[in-house]
Amino acid sequence: MQPDRNSHQASQEDRQVQNETTNLQSRGTGRKRGRFLLGSGVTRRSFLGHTGIFTVTSVVAGVVGSSFSKKKGIVQAQEIAQAGNPVRQFNYVQFRQKAFQVRLEAARANQQIEIPPHPTNGDEERYSNKIATDTRGLPHNQQGEVDLKAYDSLIRALTTQNPDDYENIILGGARKLVNPQGPLAISLEGINASQVGIPPAPTLDSPEQAVEAVELYWQALLRDVPFHRFEDDPKVSAAIAELNNLSAFKGPKQNGSVTPQTLFRGSVIYVDESDSSGRTAKHIIPPGVTEGPYISQFLLREIPYNTQVISPLIRTALAGKENDFLTNYEEWLTVQNGGSSGKSIKYDPTRRFVFTVRDLSELAHIGGALFFGAFLILSGGIRAPLNPGNPYLNSKTQLGSAATFAPAHFQALLNLAPSRAIRVGYWQKFYVHRRLRPEAYGGLIYNNLVNKTDYPINSEVLNSTALAQTFSTFGTYLLPHAYPEGAPFHPSYVGGAASIAGVQATLLKAFFDENFIIPDPVVPDPNDPTKVIPYSGAPLTVGGELNKLAANYYIGRGHGGIHWRSDGAAGLALGEEVAISILRDERLGYNEKFNGFTFTKFDGTQITV
């Protein structure tokens, strides 16, 4: 019996591929300032910039131009022709090798990215009682200070990373910690968590932290103010006046001042590249965030979902103090220990558009699919053009599809990205910063003023109008929350929701034309927030409204009382970096002639990936 010729030939080719792979791996790489060599003199820059990775990959692997590529294949064209069949040739083994090589190159390229410094603010080491560290969910004494044995059980698990040690963390109640092992998962696309740097959070005793707290107290006081009333509400005027008197405030301003148009709008924090220590923060206002209505157009339009339509009207909480929580000290302490307040939100039976500060906090309470909704609006609602760099826009013979460069392809990346951003964001939360939540900071303020403790709280918040008005309104110095459960049980810095917003907003700017003017913009009707009316101000672009949507999402978490401004501002930059790394890896696998994804970052600079 004759051996199967194709099987014999395939096994020879497998050995050839293995030999070529071994040769490639044994060549090593040359490093110098982020450049490395592939084979003889091919740099990463030229490799990534080539329009046909198949050709370059094959050269690197010693395939193209060799007797292997010219004489061997699973089925030879000449043999097919001799058999009377049409001439068709596809080298299956070489295609498999291409897939291997792309994955290898993605891994090698990511390995070359240097690990940035990861400085902390030093508070965890500075305070032996861990008052500046997130310890919610662990047992605490009556003063709200953590049981150090329980704290040590948490740190042990985070240090050993042994799954059994996580099961031995000492909790104070029924609520569980949220996914502390999740950041240790290795993503097969995008950057490793340790390769994204953010500046340290403000210290507990700093004016920066005090000012962020003042802003949160004002957000709680203004929860039931409609956004269109920011121009004439007296409490809004008081908030603006106070924030303008605090030099450490880093939020948006116009001509150096906080105004009704900039109040509670979003910002972004990057590491200042001029400081090699990674400690200096660079505060940026993203394009579009302070322009036009406070609420993004992507929260005010119907969402087309195949043959259905999803309404933008949302469930909202009733106005009033009955929907403000954690204002009672025993209730607050119960939640810190992992218990339930026993309370719940009372909802308005009539749904409406996002209209007030409280409405936005309720939207951000859940929020997760906001950017999928924006994607559906872009692709099927306003039919925004695709990014001008899309290789199929000028093709004479082809269209993109779910495989590459069409909305279904983009949808797959968009829905994958949040988990990858959360892995990176949660790594910063659990394994680097462990910053306390605003509700815990409010407890320190309360104990200083009521129980005469001497925690190092900056006087700018202790003497603030916001705190005084909170006491006169709610009868407490605790920070009133819009959510009865308080914050999720993971540390505050960086914001997980902000990381999701950053990664998804960035991807959408890479997929669609960010300069496209949104047609027929609207705002909620001031007289009936179940309706919208036309907006007639300056044009609103896709890019600007995506930036605004990202800012709405993370600031909305602050409106609920669970995040500092800097949590969200740093989270947007972190998510953006994850998106860039996913696009970088994704691009390696394309066969199309493609010059890269070009879009504008949150800092206003244009980048091509």
Side-chain angles (χ1 to χ4, degrees), residues 64 77 434 447 608:
V64 172
R434 295 193 280 271
N447 277 310
T608 298

Side-chain angles (χ1 to χ4, degrees), residues 86 223 303:
R223 280 203 181 108
I303 300 171

Side-chain angles (χ1 to χ4, degrees), residues 206-502:
S206 66
E208 290 82 6
Q209 182 116 314
V211 170
E212 290 195 42
V214 169
E215 184 180 31
L216 289 175
Y217 277 95
W218 277 118
Q219 289 175 11
L221 288 164
L222 298 175
R223 280 203 181 108
D224 296 318
V225 177
F227 292 111
H228 76 274
R229 292 291 307 277
F230 275 17
E231 291 285 347
D232 54 22
D233 187 279
K235 282 190 177 180
V236 170
S237 299
I240 290 171
E242 179 152 71
L243 291 174
N244 277 323
N245 285 330
L246 300 174
S247 61
F249 180 67
K250 303 298 184 183
K253 298 179 180 181
Q254 287 180 325
N255 300 318
S257 297
V258 181
T259 70
Q261 182 67 16
T262 67
L263 183 67
F264 302 158
R265 303 240 183 176
S267 54
V268 177
I269 295 175
Y270 291 90
V271 174
D272 189 333
E273 295 179 357
S274 66
D275 179 4
S276 61
S277 74
R279 291 191 166 275
T280 303
K282 183 169 62 174
H283 299 267
I284 300 292
I285 310 305
V289 164
T290 60
E291 297 173 10
Y294 185 95
I295 297 299
S296 171
Q297 292 297 298
F298 293 109
L299 297 178
L300 301 175
R301 305 182 81 101
E302 290 185 334
I303 300 171
Y305 189 71
N306 296 327
T307 57
Q308 298 172 295
V309 174
I310 300 172
S311 169
L313 300 176
I314 71 164
R315 177 190 67 188
T316 61
L318 289 169
K321 290 188 288 185
E322 66 177 347
N323 270 330
D324 290 299
F325 306 97
L326 306 192
T327 57
N328 173 275
Y329 187 80
E330 291 304 320
E331 174 189 342
W332 171 88
L333 185 60
T334 296
V335 169
Q336 302 312 292
N337 285 330
S340 170
S341 69
K343 297 181 178 180
S344 59
I345 298 173
K346 296 177 175 60
Y347 293 105
D348 190 324
T350 302
R351 293 178 180 263
R352 68 186 188 198
F353 290 95
V354 179
F355 189 66
T356 69
V357 171
R358 191 183 297 276
D359 292 350
L360 186 58
S361 75
E362 180 58 25
L363 178 85
H365 196 179
I366 302 172
L370 298 183
F371 288 87
F372 181 54
F375 162 79
L376 294 174
I377 291 170
L378 287 166
S379 57
I382 64 175
R383 298 191 180 277
L386 297 178
N387 191 299
N390 189 302
Y392 286 111
L393 292 184
N394 296 315
S395 174
K396 298 177 181 178
T397 60
Q398 305 166 80
L399 294 172
S401 76
T404 57
F405 293 106
H409 166 218
F410 303 147
Q411 178 182 330
L413 294 179
L414 188 73
N415 290 335
L416 168 74
S419 73
R420 299 321 186 234
I422 286 293
R423 289 176 179 179
V424 180
Y426 277 28
W427 185 79
Q428 296 283 354
K429 284 175 178 286
F430 280 109
Y431 295 92
V432 183
H433 299 284
R434 295 193 280 271
R435 184 189 192 183
L436 85 168
R437 289 277 183 169
E439 67 193 62
Y441 186 86
L444 298 176
I445 292 174
Y446 177 96
N447 277 310
N448 268 12
L449 296 177
V450 175
N451 295 322
K452 308 307 178 184
T453 53
D454 191 28
Y455 296 129
I457 302 299
N458 191 278
S459 61
E460 290 197 352
V461 64
L462 296 176
N463 298 328
S464 67
T465 303
L467 189 62
Q469 288 206 14
T470 296
F471 184 77
S472 65
T473 302
F474 297 98
T476 187
Y477 296 109
L478 295 167
L479 175 65
H481 277 58
Y483 314 145
E485 74 279 9
F489 276 11
H490 46 70
S492 201
Y493 192 68
V494 295
S499 301
I500 291 173

Side-chain angles (χ1 to χ4, degrees), residues 9 93 202 247 381 385 436 498 509-510 524 559:
Q9 186 170 348
V93 172
S247 61
L436 85 168
K509 288 186 287 185
H559 289 342

Side-chain angles (χ1 to χ4, degrees), residues 198 266-269 364 366-368 370-371 417-418 420-422 424-426 429 437 490-506 546-547 549-558 562-579 602:
I198 60 174
S267 54
V268 177
I269 295 175
I366 302 172
L370 298 183
F371 288 87
R420 299 321 186 234
I422 286 293
V424 180
Y426 277 28
K429 284 175 178 286
R437 289 277 183 169
H490 46 70
S492 201
Y493 192 68
V494 295
S499 301
I500 291 173
V503 74
Q504 292 192 302
T506 301
L546 286 171
N547 291 344
L549 177 62
N552 286 163
Y553 190 16
Y554 95 70
I555 291 291
R557 305 283 276 182
I562 67 172
H563 265 302
W564 308 95
R565 170 179 287 276
S566 54
D567 294 342
L572 287 192
L574 180 147
E576 179 180 74
E577 189 64 28
V578 174
F602 291 124

Side-chain angles (χ1 to χ4, degrees), residues 1-8:
M1 183 176 179
Q2 294 294 322
D4 187 313
R5 177 170 180 168
N6 286 346
S7 297
H8 176 68

Side-chain angles (χ1 to χ4, degrees), residues 529-601:
T530 66
K531 301 176 181 178
V532 290
I533 59 175
Y535 164 72
S536 58
L540 305 174
T541 66
V542 165
E545 291 301 291
L546 286 171
N547 291 344
K548 189 184 293 180
L549 177 62
N552 286 163
Y553 190 16
Y554 95 70
I555 291 291
R557 305 283 276 182
H559 289 342
I562 67 172
H563 265 302
W564 308 95
R565 170 179 287 276
S566 54
D567 294 342
L572 287 192
L574 180 147
E576 179 180 74
E577 189 64 28
V578 174
I580 289 169
S581 71
I582 291 173
L583 293 172
R584 185 187 301 123
D585 285 355
E586 178 75 5
R587 183 188 169 188
L588 287 173
Y590 299 148
N591 190 71
E592 293 90 345
K593 289 184 177 181
F594 178 52
N595 293 323
F597 298 97
T598 298
F599 55 90
T600 304
K601 295 175 60 179

